[in-house]
């Protein structure tokens, strides 16, 4: 078993994301629940052109399935990065379940840098183009890897110094103190 020099797993734990998802869920389901309540309990039609209660229940079920799926997606999404002596290993389940490897020999150079996720990549997640990709979850610190084939890949990290030291060790680069 090869020695792991660095390992990090990040999840979407930002409060603002969860507030947005929960807010969107409430905004979509509460009016429908109110409509069902209004028609079935108070006997008042809901809206100017009221739908049958069965239709409102079907709409509510669709809303719950969609928003529940979104919540489950964000709960399962995570960025996993490992640095071993033979290269960098990463995955981004559930979108990228299979672990990918960037072999040590494929790496031309690397740097840990501050970046702007929104202006450089359009936000967080799996972003970019075939030549310039980003895998990030939060923050603005990343390991930028320049490959010999001209491609660039940025991995967001919360452990800038640790990932840099592991990359130096993997690449056999002398430490600069």
């Amino acid at each position: 078993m090869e020695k792991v020099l660095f390992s990090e797993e990040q999840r979407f734990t930002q409060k603002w994301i969860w507030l947005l998802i929960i807010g969107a869920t409430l905004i979509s389901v509460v009016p429908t629940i109110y409509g069902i309540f209004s028609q079935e309990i108070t006997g008042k039609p809901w809206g100017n052109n009221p739908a049958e209660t069965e239709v409102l229940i079907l709409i509510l079920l669709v809303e719950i399935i969609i928003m529940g799926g979104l919540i489950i997606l964000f709960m399962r999404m995570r960025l996993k990065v490992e640095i071993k002596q033979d290269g960098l290993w990463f995955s981004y389940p559930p979108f990228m379940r299979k672990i990918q490897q960037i072999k040590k020999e494929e790496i031309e150079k690397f740097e840990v840098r501050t970046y702007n996720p929104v202006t450089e990549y359009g936000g967080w997640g799996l972003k970019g183009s075939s030549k310039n990709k980003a895998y990030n979850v939060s923050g603005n610190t990343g390991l930028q890897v320049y490959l010999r084939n001209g491609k660039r890949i940025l991995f967001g990290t919360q452990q800038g110094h640790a990932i840099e030291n592991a990359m130096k060790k993997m690449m056999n680069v002398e430490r600069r103190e």
Side-chain angles (χ1 to χ4, degrees):
M1 193 97 194
E2 189 148 0
K3 182 181 175 190
V4 175
L5 304 172
F6 174 85
S7 182
E8 182 178 25
E9 181 176 304
Q10 297 180 66
R11 294 178 176 266
F12 284 92
T13 58
Q14 302 93 318
K15 289 180 184 173
W16 69 269
I17 289 176
W18 289 103
L19 286 173
L20 190 66
I21 292 170
I22 291 168
T25 302
L26 292 174
I27 287 170
S28 68
V29 300
V30 168
T32 310
I33 291 170
Y34 176 77
I36 294 167
F37 174 81
S38 176
Q39 290 187 175
E40 288 300 308
I41 305 301
T42 66
K44 294 180 187 173
W46 185 55
N48 295 333
N49 190 10
E52 297 288 329
T53 302
E54 292 79 14
V55 173
L56 291 176
I57 291 171
L58 181 63
I59 290 169
L60 179 63
L61 289 174
V62 169
E63 290 170 341
I64 290 171
I65 289 169
I66 290 171
M67 297 312 290
L70 186 65
I71 290 168
I72 290 168
L73 176 68
F74 271 87
M75 289 174 70
R76 297 194 63 210
M77 245 190 307
R78 62 190 181 276
L79 171 61
K80 295 179 178 182
V81 176
E82 278 191 351
I83 298 172
K84 299 179 182 179
Q85 295 188 339
D86 64 343
L88 191 147
W89 300 76
F90 65 99
S91 65
Y92 206 117
F95 301 112
M96 181 191 293
R97 291 177 186 246
K98 186 178 176 189
I99 297 170
Q100 306 289 313
Q101 180 190 16
I102 300 172
K103 294 179 182 171
K104 176 181 170 176
E105 299 78 31
E106 296 176 76
I107 300 171
E108 183 177 327
K109 64 181 181 172
F110 66 90
E111 66 178 321
V112 173
R113 69 179 185 93
T114 301
Y115 69 102
N116 187 317
V118 176
T119 59
E120 290 184 51
Y121 296 100
W124 295 269
L126 281 77
K127 301 289 183 169
S129 64
S130 61
K131 290 276 189 192
N132 185 19
K133 289 186 181 177
Y135 301 91
N136 54 21
V137 171
S138 67
N140 64 349
T141 302
L143 169 66
Q144 182 78 65
V145 179
Y146 301 87
L147 303 180
R148 295 191 189 283
N149 65 8
K151 293 181 179 181
R152 295 180 295 157
I153 304 173
L154 182 122
F155 298 96
T157 184
Q158 301 300 307
Q159 303 174 39
H161 293 297
I163 201 168
E164 182 175 35
N165 289 337
M167 285 296 292
K168 286 178 180 177
K169 192 170 187 177
M170 187 232 340
M171 298 296 289
N172 299 317
V173 175
E174 291 295 319
R175 283 191 172 183
R176 294 178 226 137
E177 300 293 330

